[in-house]
Amino acid sequence: MLKKNRVMVCLLLLWTSQVFTATAQRKSISQKVDSVLKLMTLDEKIGQLNQYNDDWKATGPVTLDNTKREQVKNGQLGSLLNCVGTARTRAWQNIAMQSRLKIPLLFGQDVIHGYKTTFPIPLGEACSWDLDAITLTARVAATEASASGINWTFAPMVDIARDPRWGRVMEGAGEDPYLGAKIAYARVKGFQGNQLGDTNAVMACAKHFAAYGAAIGGRDYNSVDMSDRMLWEVYLPPFKAALDAGAATFMNSFNDLNGVPATGNKYLQRDILKGKWNFKGFVVSDWGSISEMINHGNVKNQYEAALSAITAGSDMDMESRCYKNNLAQLVKDKKITVAVIDDAVKRILQKKFELGLFDDPFKFCNADREKTALNDPEHTKIAREAAAKSIVLLKNQNNLLPLSKNIKTIACIGPLIKAVKQNKGFWDVEVPGVDSNFIVSQWEGLQNKLGATTTLLYAKGCDIEGNNKDGFAEAVDIAKQADVVVLSIGERRDMSGEAKSRSNINIPGVQEELLKELLATGKPVVVLINAGRPLVFNYTADNAPAILYTWWLGSEAGNAIADVLFGDYNPAAKLTMSFPRSVGQIPIYYSHFNTGRPATNDNYHNYNSSYNDESIFPRFEFGYGLSYTSFQYTDLQLGKRQLKPNEQLDVSVTITNTGKYDGEEIVQLYLRDKVGSIVRPVQELKDFKKIRLNSGESKTVQFTIGKEKLSFYNQQLQWVAEPGDFELMIGASSRDIRLKGNFELVK
Ligand code: NOJ
């Protein structure tokens, strides 16, 4: 006992000294910030609030400007984006070092799912529910990017997304606020590592603040109209989690929220983020979003746009030049005080100090480190594991998978089976001097996996889009010669992403028709679906015996897919977004409210809340995903039936691997607050555990439920846990609930 106390005291002292050091560091940095600020002219201050795109690659509409270098020399620029590589960032930083105060530049980049080594698109990776693995890939991305001149990533994107027509669903973690928050936290920790200031840490940027994922009709950049309760309960939690993880920056968003563009939204930025949440970092606008408020129509011109954005708390202007051209005039006209500008400048300088750029502006520009980091074989290994963990097994009739490595002949068919660069997904970074050769195609992955005794035949069959069926005959011909067919179909990688909204999310072209012809040969067909969003593929879902949803898996895609196909990795991923049966069901998500006339099945439509021509259920639900093995859920134990607000409820359940493969299961805990002062969702994910079990093995999984998990925002937007009955559901997906229990929260 004494020993335990001593350990506790030591830990407390360590913690106190760490807190003390961090506070002292912050204090000394803020003194330094003040001393720099004192030297700055208004023009130089405004310069710090300015961010431009570099000249050679753009991720938005570019403003041609050949005076950028001159402006940097004059101290009129705080940051560049889309400037990568040690050589190029060094060249720009050199120019900044010629300015009067030598304030270093920040280099921001969309390092969304990897830098050189590409990882699965975030939505795919989220399906691993593997928080450590997610932190690790962000860590690797940061290690590579920070060795290549970058000190700031515009990630993670933490927008909740419930509409797969919206192309940007690929960038987030899916539809659920609880899981979204966990993943946001994991990603920020990964990007920022132990602390800003380490050579391998980059600043994270939680985006897009806020509610961008709820664009009406799934049309990118569109308006958002949402209740405050929905905002707080569903859309804000991942942002709060990113903040709790220490995210250095936030990016605001293109959408208006209830009529006020997010960029000029004081409620979001000043009241919530910098006020209630006490965020000490800085907010960057989205690309051009300050001047785009003119198009929204709530400001007349750039002058008013700048006024609106700075007043609302947007600190840095990405590419619109509204700040550069108007802030000085706004001060002169007494529309804003210099103190408002100072606050924004201080926030930015603070981060430049924390990154260590004032000590060494070229800290991230070491060519040797760049070479080593970009060629680290460990990164490749991590990419392969992350990719395998993201693959969702949607169907496996008669245990067609895993395939035997002794198969004699495999017909490899489809427009994506030999694709190379496609595997990178939407947000790849073009790293100078690096071509795509190192990306492992599915074809190459199969070749790597199989020995000389297996023959691989190839036919493209058809294109991703278009009606051309000329290649069908060849495909059918090789299918007939084979023991099994692997068909790789889906979207192009740039069909999901920014500005890639679609009203039709079926598998494009004649790809499903190709499948039909291949199935007619009677050969077993394994379908790989490559996509950045949940697609609609009813024919495939009904008829193909085995389906793997592979998303875009990154540089090791081919090897990871081969690992799964041949059972070297037993798939464990589960969907984090509901897959609709048709566009008409969208938006569709599991944690919906009950109506006054709920429908419980698809057979009865009379005066109830259903579609007359479509199921009420998704094709594949949130939390769904198969394994090569099976898991049995037994022995649900609730520590008590009644708990008080200050008490914890212990829950345990036994999971047994009843199949013949070792494997992992994601055990999901859902709650339903049966009667609330306002309507509560039919179920909400409140915890999960990913466990590994050898064949035949059992494990007891423990959960604890406290007040936090029982709370919600009431009508007055207070975070409360109301006394009453709760239903607890433990399941293998949101629909595949295996065990249920009840408990009561008492006063
Ligand atoms: C616009 C996108 O909305 C944002 O996510 C991205 O970071 C910027 N462009 C910069 O590329």
Side-chain angles (χ1 to χ4, degrees):
M1 191 60 194
L2 211 65
K3 206 170 155 201
K4 202 172 160 197
N5 279 345
R6 228 178 293 140
V7 174
M8 288 301 286
V9 171
C10 286
L11 283 175
L12 194 71
L13 281 175
L14 186 72
W15 180 78
T16 323
S17 79
Q18 273 175 352
V19 171
F20 182 75
T21 324
T23 320
Q25 246 169 17
R26 254 203 313 275
K27 255 204 184 137
S28 83
I29 287 185
S30 84
Q31 281 159 357
K32 287 180 192 167
V33 167
D34 285 341
S35 60
V36 175
L37 194 77
K38 275 197 195 118
L39 304 173
M40 296 172 81
T41 62
L42 181 61
D43 189 46
E44 284 164 335
K45 289 177 182 174
I46 293 169
Q48 284 306 303
L49 312 187
N50 229 346
Q51 183 185 51
Y52 292 159
N53 191 61
D54 193 0
D55 299 326
W56 57 292
K57 199 192 161 196
T59 45
V62 208
T63 308
L64 290 176
D65 181 350
N66 50 22
T67 67
K68 284 182 202 163
R69 282 166 185 76
E70 221 31 57
Q71 293 180 44
V72 174
K73 223 184 261 179
N74 295 336
Q76 291 169 318
L77 194 75
S79 173
L80 275 168
L81 79 148
N82 290 327
C83 173
V84 299
T86 51
R88 202 162 173 97
T89 48
R90 178 175 282 277
W92 276 104
Q93 201 67 292
N94 258 322
I95 305 176
M97 289 306 109
Q98 293 165 37
S99 65
R100 191 177 75 91
L101 293 175
K102 302 186 178 7
I103 300 178
L105 292 168
L106 290 172
F107 295 97
Q109 181 66 31
D110 291 293
V111 182
I112 311 285
H113 46 106
Y115 185 67
K116 180 207 163 192
T117 308
T118 319
F119 300 107
I121 57 165
L123 180 60
E125 192 187 50
C127 294
S128 71
W129 301 50
D130 190 329
L131 303 175
D132 291 341
I134 289 171
T135 299
L136 185 61
T137 59
R139 189 83 290 281
V140 172
T143 304
E144 292 188 2
S146 63
S148 196
I150 312 299
N151 41 43
W152 181 16
T153 175
F154 301 131
M157 189 276 228
V158 303
D159 297 312
I160 294 298
R162 296 176 160 185
D163 189 333
R165 290 172 298 182
W166 190 49
R168 299 198 80 168
V169 300
M170 53 87 43
E171 271 177 75
E175 74 184 45
D176 186 65
Y178 177 81
L179 183 59
K182 293 277 177 206
I183 291 177
Y185 190 94
R187 289 195 165 128
V188 171
K189 284 287 179 201
F191 287 129
Q192 297 194 167
N194 289 335
Q195 56 175 5
L196 292 188
D198 289 352
T199 32
N200 63 5
V202 296
M203 292 195 295
C205 181
K207 71 187 188 184
H208 306 81
F209 199 64
Y212 184 42
I216 293 173
R219 191 152 52 83
D220 208 2
Y221 316 120
N222 207 1
S223 294
V224 172
D225 196 321
M226 141 178 328
S227 70
D228 237 11
R229 199 202 46 75
M230 177 73 106
L231 177 72
W232 280 93
E233 214 161 282
V234 177
Y235 287 81
L236 291 184
F239 286 101
K240 179 62 169 51
L243 180 109
D244 291 343
T249 70
F250 270 54
M251 184 186 291
N252 57 37
S253 53
F254 289 123
N255 57 285
D256 77 77
L257 176 63
N258 305 328
V260 182
T263 304
N265 199 311
K266 179 175 165 293
Y267 174 56
L268 287 174
Q269 297 171 105
R270 288 239 186 256
D271 300 352
I272 299 177
L273 182 59
K274 293 179 175 174
K276 196 175 165 63
W277 290 356
N278 200 21
F279 172 61
K280 295 292 180 214
F282 69 90
V283 179
V284 63
S285 79
D286 203 344
W287 182 298
S289 67
I290 300 183
S291 64
E292 286 172 17
M293 285 195 282
I294 303 167
N295 289 342
H296 279 286
N298 70 321
V299 295
K300 205 164 43 195
N301 48 31
Q302 291 218 345
Y303 176 87
E304 286 188 4
L307 174 62
S308 166
I310 195 85
T311 310
S314 298
D315 300 304
M316 186 181 274
D317 174 354
M318 184 193 288
E319 260 295 330
S320 92
R321 288 162 175 76
C322 284
Y323 280 4
K324 172 179 152 35
N325 297 333
N326 296 284
L327 286 184
Q329 193 58 43
L330 284 164
V331 172
K332 219 166 152 195
D333 296 347
K334 299 205 165 30
K335 299 276 186 194
I336 54 168
T337 60
V338 176
V340 172
I341 293 182
D342 283 354
D343 175 61
V345 176
K346 277 159 81 173
R347 287 168 180 270
I348 293 162
L349 293 182
Q350 171 84 22
K351 293 301 162 200
K352 292 186 174 183
F353 271 109
E354 285 177 25
L355 284 166
L357 288 171
F358 277 97
D359 295 330
D360 178 6
F362 301 101
K363 173 170 184 176
F364 300 99
C365 307
N366 177 329
D368 289 337
R369 190 159 73 85
E370 180 176 42
K371 204 165 163 196
T372 315
L374 299 193
N375 293 293
D376 187 337
E378 187 61 20
H379 296 182
T380 310
K381 207 174 132 238
I382 294 168
R384 183 169 180 163
E385 283 166 9
K389 285 179 178 182
S390 308
I391 299 172
V392 190
L393 177 63
L394 294 180
K395 193 172 174 190
N396 194 17
Q397 225 167 35
N398 303 326
N399 297 324
L400 172 57
L401 291 174
L403 300 174
S404 154
K405 286 179 195 154
N406 298 323
I407 292 180
K408 284 227 163 55
T409 310
I410 303 179
C412 304
I413 301 175
L416 286 157
I417 201 117
K418 277 200 173 178
V420 178
K421 220 175 156 189
Q422 292 288 345
N423 295 294
K424 286 183 97 181
F426 185 81
W427 282 106
D428 70 314
V429 185
E430 272 176 36
V431 182
V434 175
D435 60 29
S436 308
N437 290 341
F438 71 102
I439 298 163
V440 184
S441 71
Q442 296 163 10
W443 172 253
E444 200 184 335
L446 288 167
Q447 282 177 321
N448 293 343
K449 180 66 69 187
L450 298 165
T453 49
T454 306
T455 306
L456 295 178
L457 305 173
Y458 165 73
K460 186 175 173 194
C462 63
D463 292 326
I464 293 171
E465 291 177 285
N467 300 323
N468 193 334
K469 297 184 189 172
D470 291 352
F472 277 26
E474 187 196 4
V476 168
D477 187 47
I478 66 158
K480 284 182 180 156
Q481 297 169 46
D483 302 297
V484 64
V485 177
V486 175
L487 173 67
S488 183
I489 55 178
E491 291 187 316
R492 269 194 335 267
R493 69 177 177 131
D494 61 355
M495 289 170 93
S496 293
E498 186 182 345
K500 305 297 177 197
S501 295
R502 298 182 75 80
S503 65
N504 175 347
I505 56 168
N506 292 342
I507 292 190
V510 290
Q511 298 180 89
E512 284 197 291
E513 288 180 54
L514 173 63
L515 169 64
K516 197 171 180 182
E517 300 227 356
L518 296 173
L519 288 172
T521 64
K523 298 291 168 130
V525 182
V526 179
V527 181
L528 310 176
I529 302 183
N530 307 258
R533 53 152 65 88
L535 292 174
V536 170
F537 46 93
N538 292 313
Y539 176 79
T540 307
D542 288 335
N543 296 287
I547 306 171
L548 290 169
Y549 214 77
T550 65
W551 310 103
W552 298 116
L553 294 172
S555 17
E556 283 295 302
N559 285 332
I561 289 172
D563 287 342
V564 168
L565 282 174
F566 295 93
D568 289 335
Y569 181 82
N570 182 356
K574 303 218 184 212
L575 300 175
T576 63
M577 248 188 112
S578 307
F579 274 42
R581 290 167 190 271
S582 62
V583 167
Q585 286 186 319
I586 298 171
I588 184 164
Y589 50 94
Y590 83 93
S591 59
H592 57 83
F593 287 169
N594 238 3
T595 68
R597 294 184 179 187
T600 51
N601 62 62
D602 283 334
N603 308 323
Y604 188 75
H605 303 296
N606 214 13
Y607 297 105
N608 71 7
S609 183
S610 60
Y611 294 110
N612 281 215
D613 59 348
E614 180 58 283
S615 168
I616 51 168
F617 302 110
R619 182 83 230 194
F620 298 105
E621 72 273 13
F622 176 86
Y624 174 84
L626 303 173
S627 161
Y628 294 152
T629 191
S630 48
F631 298 98
Q632 194 182 50
Y633 288 54
T634 54
D635 200 21
L636 174 64
Q637 305 270 358
L638 271 64
K640 43 171 96 82
R641 293 288 154 183
Q642 285 195 328
L643 88 150
K644 297 196 179 115
N646 58 351
E647 289 178 343
Q648 300 277 347
L649 168 64
D650 293 323
V651 176
S652 69
V653 57
T654 303
I655 314 292
T656 307
N657 180 342
T658 48
K660 57 181 178 133
Y661 295 93
D662 301 344
E664 293 156 294
E665 173 70 327
I666 300 164
V667 183
Q668 301 158 42
L669 184 152
Y670 296 89
L671 288 181
R672 177 172 188 178
D673 186 342
K674 286 191 177 166
V675 181
S677 57
I678 58 166
V679 179
R680 305 303 307 141
V682 292
Q683 56 183 143
E684 291 177 279
L685 181 75
K686 289 293 176 183
D687 211 342
F688 65 89
K689 295 262 154 62
K690 186 171 185 176
I691 53 163
R692 157 163 280 286
L693 289 173
N694 294 333
S695 167
E697 194 187 355
S698 291
K699 263 186 197 159
T700 302
V701 176
Q702 315 269 4
F703 298 101
T704 39
I705 295 173
K707 194 175 158 205
E708 189 63 18
K709 287 193 163 70
L710 307 178
S711 300
F712 65 93
Y713 287 100
N714 68 10
Q715 229 173 344
Q716 291 72 39
L717 279 189
Q718 294 149 335
W719 182 243
V720 293
E722 293 177 345
D725 291 331
F726 288 81
E727 184 175 23
L728 178 141
M729 294 155 263
I730 305 278
S733 84
S734 56
R735 287 191 72 193
D736 186 6
I737 298 300
R738 305 285 180 88
L739 297 164
K740 286 185 181 181
N742 289 292
F743 64 92
E744 188 188 356
L745 178 68
V746 292
K747 278 201 191 129

